[in-house]
Amino acid sequence: MSATLLSVQTLNGLQLGVLLFLVAAGLTLVFGVMDFINLAHGVQFMIGAYLAAMFTALTDNFFLGLGLALPAALTLGLALEWLVFRHLYARDHLDQVLATFGIILFLNQAVKFVWGAAPLSVPVPTLLSGSIQLMEGLRYPIYRLAVIGAGIAVALLLSLLVSRTRIGMLVRAGAANAPMVSALGVDIGRLFMLVFGFGAMLAGFAGAMVAPLVSVEPGMGDNLLILTFVVIVIGGIGSIRGAFIAALLVGLVDTLGRAFGPLVLRLFLDASAASQAGQALAPMLIYILMAAVLFVRPAGLFPVRR
Amino acid sequence: MSGAHPTAGPLRDRRPRLAGLILAGLATLPLLGALGADSYVLLLVTRVMIFAVAAISLDLILGYGAMVSFGHAAFMGIGAYAVGILATHGIEDLLAQAGVAILVSAGFAALTGAVSLRTKGVHFIMITLAFGQMAFFLAVSLAAYGGDDGLTIARRSTVLGAEWLGNATIFYYLVLAVLAATLLACRALVAARFGRVLRGTRENPVRMQAIGFEPFRYQLTAYVISGAICGLSGVLIANQTNFISPAYMAWQRSGELIVMVVLGGMGTLIGPLIGALAYLLIEEWLAGITEHWKMIFGPLLILVVLHARGGLVGAITRITGGRHG
């Protein structure tokens, strides 16, 4: 297990981690403030990627495409909130699960209808293409580094927004006790809408940023959604800080587990058994991690005090 | 909690007549087939009944215990893989396969249930989802049994060495018998003291504890029974399709099972059967109209959630004169 490989995989893990955080941030806020379980958050990630792909192809410029995709993702999020979600806040979790499941069915099919079933690809922007030498024998793509940097920057901005501004204070208060905030004269409906739209935009931003790295296809948000759930459950639902730490943890554990699990197992098993067991165990690692965390701390690592 | 528990309130068995009617109808369907109806209908209804068994098992914990399991398809997958894996190694006897399927699903339910039930509400939804995904990825990694692509099973399971199940009508009646037995067993279970404790826990776990019950034990028992029954439905689906794949365990499949339960009317046992029928028929019908049928079905589902409380069974009891409790 060479240091180079370890560094590359750690960077890959970080990249997955910041992406997970961008999606998880919206999800955990929506959950914390509104007690609303939104399965459709993953399709908003997918929509972000599709919008970026479309606008990039139209404008022939990735950054312009990204700039257009963000308000479009925000608009779609607000439209969904207005059409469906606001009618569900007072319902129980089961109704929310079902209705947002309906949205997933619709949107996954709708992107096939609009953009076709074949995966789209987005070229890496020329400004950020190529790779740089990080250390001896280690070259890493610039674009991936940019994704990590952008993700961390957004995370910092978000934490400033939540901890230092008036609107952030309202969001935190809403997460702790929404009826009280409402009783103090805050238009809680508008606050919900704002948080929701913002969360949708963050998920869309994450989708747009990975668009050049993956193939943009229907259902691409589904698996990420499940990972995001793992993140917010480990981090403690409603906690931005918890989501950040858990996202990095899940990103690293998942990536490193897949890369090095078989190698570590080889210390105990013979080569073929280790490779088989490693392949079986690696994708399950984060779920085992989640079960273990919940077993010790049923409310997650950083539970929001109520 | 709005519209969550349509049977909340005094228990009254209002639906045995409806269940009897439906089962009688299902029993006579193959006879109509002999009169010239399509064997395609028989296949479709067999599939409906298999999913009904799975949905009824989910209703046992969802409707009566308020445990929203979002990983229930894993049990169906375990049952299916029990058939596939045993058949690969030459064990084709149905009883042996079903026995293994039930044991393994019950074991998986006991393990995951013991962890999941430490949590409540949305945490429970997510942790069952996570365990379902674990099972899914385990199936994907089983390279010897097809991995991602799945595995074709050469022929249907045998009964005492005989290949009776190859006959569509015999298989149909076997599935019907399993369905009827599941309905009766679950009805007996929820009407017994066990079911009352479970419902009491659903309504107010603190009170149940105060009067001397330990909710966890009852919930876990229900979870294990539910998992075992769902595993049995997996044995049937593997036999019907002669094919197993990780797709049986995908979380979307778990979502579909919840849709069937709620669409039919949860906490009614007969509701999931009606829900499975409605879901699969609507799917079949819409898919015949357009390949983009999910664009119609998704909004339809949202409308049902927003406006139709109590599911189809609720609608039926309202229409037929509402013997409300």
Side-chain angles (χ1 to χ4, degrees):
Chain A
M1 165 182 343
S2 71
T4 319
L5 189 58
L6 186 66
S7 314
V8 168
Q9 294 298 352
T10 306
L11 283 172
N12 286 344
L14 271 181
Q15 186 211 315
L16 177 61
V18 296
L19 281 179
L20 283 176
F21 170 72
L22 289 178
V23 183
L27 197 63
T28 203
L29 278 183
V30 164
F31 196 89
V33 180
M34 303 174 222
D35 195 26
F36 182 82
I37 175 166
N38 179 16
L39 294 186
H41 206 68
V43 291
Q44 273 150 352
F45 168 83
M46 172 187 72
I47 295 281
Y50 267 101
L51 288 171
M54 179 179 76
F55 286 126
T56 304
L58 280 180
T59 60
D60 217 13
N61 181 328
F62 177 75
F63 299 100
L64 215 56
L66 187 67
L68 286 171
L70 286 183
L74 177 70
T75 312
L76 186 87
L78 292 177
L80 278 178
E81 202 271 352
W82 184 70
L83 273 174
V84 182
F85 293 109
R86 65 173 49 179
H87 307 292
L88 291 165
Y89 294 146
R91 299 297 194 86
D92 60 17
H93 290 145
L94 182 60
D95 283 353
Q96 297 168 351
V97 163
L98 280 172
T100 51
F101 186 65
I103 293 179
I104 294 181
L105 292 180
F106 176 78
L107 283 181
N108 268 343
Q109 197 63 45
V111 297
K112 264 186 222 172
F113 183 71
V114 176
W115 285 289
L120 306 182
S121 69
V122 179
V124 174
T126 22
L127 189 64
L128 298 173
S129 64
S131 57
I132 54 168
Q133 181 121 10
L134 288 183
M135 55 188 211
E136 191 70 33
L138 168 61
R139 296 189 69 81
Y140 200 72
I142 296 176
Y143 187 74
R144 285 175 184 269
L145 287 176
V147 169
I148 297 176
I152 290 178
V154 171
L156 285 175
L157 274 179
L158 195 62
S159 85
L160 281 179
L161 194 67
V162 169
S163 65
R164 293 274 182 268
T165 64
R166 183 175 169 76
I167 193 89
M169 183 188 73
L170 288 177
V171 167
R172 278 180 291 134
N177 192 338
M180 183 58 82
V181 175
S182 176
L184 290 173
V186 176
D187 184 347
I188 202 88
R190 185 175 294 176
L191 183 69
F192 280 8
M193 193 167 169
L194 194 90
V195 171
F196 197 93
F198 194 68
M201 192 176 71
L202 278 181
F205 178 59
M209 278 206 314
V210 286
L213 296 175
V214 298
S215 64
V216 179
E217 57 192 355
M220 66 183 280
D222 292 7
N223 288 327
L224 192 88
L225 172 79
I226 311 284
L227 286 182
T228 318
F229 275 154
V230 173
V231 166
I232 70 170
V233 167
I234 289 180
I237 292 175
S239 160
I240 287 282
R241 186 171 57 136
F244 185 69
I245 291 169
L248 293 188
L249 191 67
V250 167
L252 285 172
V253 166
D254 192 52
T255 311
L256 295 179
R258 280 169 204 267
F260 298 110
L263 290 177
V264 174
L265 283 174
R266 202 169 288 177
L267 300 173
F268 312 103
L269 300 165
D270 67 89
S272 73
S275 136
Q276 276 201 349
Q279 272 170 16
L281 276 177
M284 291 163 62
L285 265 185
I286 50 164
Y287 301 107
I288 297 170
L289 178 73
M290 168 176 165
V293 167
L294 282 188
F295 193 77
V296 184
R297 304 184 63 138
L301 292 178
F302 299 93
V304 173
R305 258 173 266 126
R306 285 176 196 269
Chain B
M1 294 289 173
S2 53
H5 308 303
T7 58
L11 170 75
R12 200 165 303 170
D13 222 348
R14 306 172 216 143
R15 293 165 294 264
R17 204 182 294 170
L18 185 57
L21 265 176
I22 293 176
L23 287 178
L26 288 171
T28 47
L29 188 73
L31 305 178
L32 300 179
L35 297 174
D38 209 336
S39 69
Y40 161 78
V41 175
L42 211 60
L43 274 177
L44 181 63
V45 177
T46 309
R47 188 175 161 80
V48 166
M49 292 194 296
I50 294 172
F51 274 96
V53 172
I56 290 167
S57 80
L58 179 60
D59 192 29
L60 189 64
I61 55 171
L62 179 66
Y64 292 90
M67 293 174 256
V68 184
S69 164
F70 210 138
H72 225 59
F75 298 109
M76 206 172 184
I78 290 173
Y81 269 83
V83 173
I85 292 176
L86 288 176
T88 317
H89 296 288
I91 303 173
E92 294 188 311
D93 185 67
L94 181 71
L95 289 179
Q97 291 173 342
V100 170
I102 288 173
L103 275 179
V104 177
S105 346
F108 185 68
L111 274 177
T112 59
V115 178
S116 311
L117 284 169
R118 284 174 54 86
T119 64
K120 282 189 216 41
V122 76
H123 284 94
F124 184 82
I125 300 179
M126 292 188 187
I127 196 167
T128 48
L129 182 64
F131 281 128
Q133 286 298 102
M134 255 172 77
F136 174 82
F137 283 118
L138 184 65
V140 169
S141 73
L142 290 176
Y145 305 104
D148 221 355
D149 300 327
L151 177 71
T152 305
I153 304 168
R155 53 180 187 159
R156 285 194 177 160
S157 307
T158 56
V159 182
L160 303 171
E163 294 188 34
W164 288 334
L165 300 188
N167 181 318
T169 311
I170 293 179
F171 186 66
Y172 179 93
Y173 277 111
L174 172 76
V175 174
L176 179 60
V178 172
L179 174 65
T182 302
L183 265 178
L184 286 174
C186 288
R187 182 158 296 285
L189 206 59
V190 297
R193 178 170 168 280
F194 176 81
R196 288 169 189 270
V197 177
L198 200 60
R199 274 197 307 278
T201 307
R202 172 186 78 192
E203 299 304 326
N204 194 331
V206 180
R207 265 190 213 171
M208 290 309 283
Q209 247 170 338
I211 59 174
F213 291 103
E214 200 187 325
F216 179 81
R217 276 174 45 202
Y218 287 88
Q219 288 176 323
L220 184 60
T221 310
Y223 194 76
V224 171
I225 295 172
S226 169
I229 297 174
C230 199
L232 189 60
S233 76
V235 173
L236 297 175
I237 198 77
N239 264 295
Q240 197 197 13
T241 56
N242 279 342
F243 178 69
I244 55 169
S245 88
Y248 287 136
M249 307 198 197
W251 66 273
Q252 289 91 340
R253 193 44 79 70
S254 297
E256 285 173 20
L257 286 178
I258 299 182
V259 171
M260 289 174 192
V261 173
V262 176
L263 186 65
M266 58 191 236
T268 62
L269 294 182
I270 189 68
L273 169 55
I274 299 173
L277 187 68
Y279 183 94
L280 293 171
L281 289 186
I282 293 173
E283 174 180 338
E284 196 69 23
W285 174 59
L286 287 180
I289 298 175
T290 163
E291 61 166 318
H292 299 297
W293 64 275
K294 282 181 180 166
M295 285 179 73
I296 306 171
F297 190 79
L300 205 62
L301 180 60
I302 297 169
L303 286 177
V304 167
V305 173
L306 288 179
H307 300 294
R309 305 284 175 86
L312 290 168
V313 166
I316 292 172
T317 35
R318 273 197 295 279
I319 291 165
T320 57
R323 284 157 287 159
H324 291 294

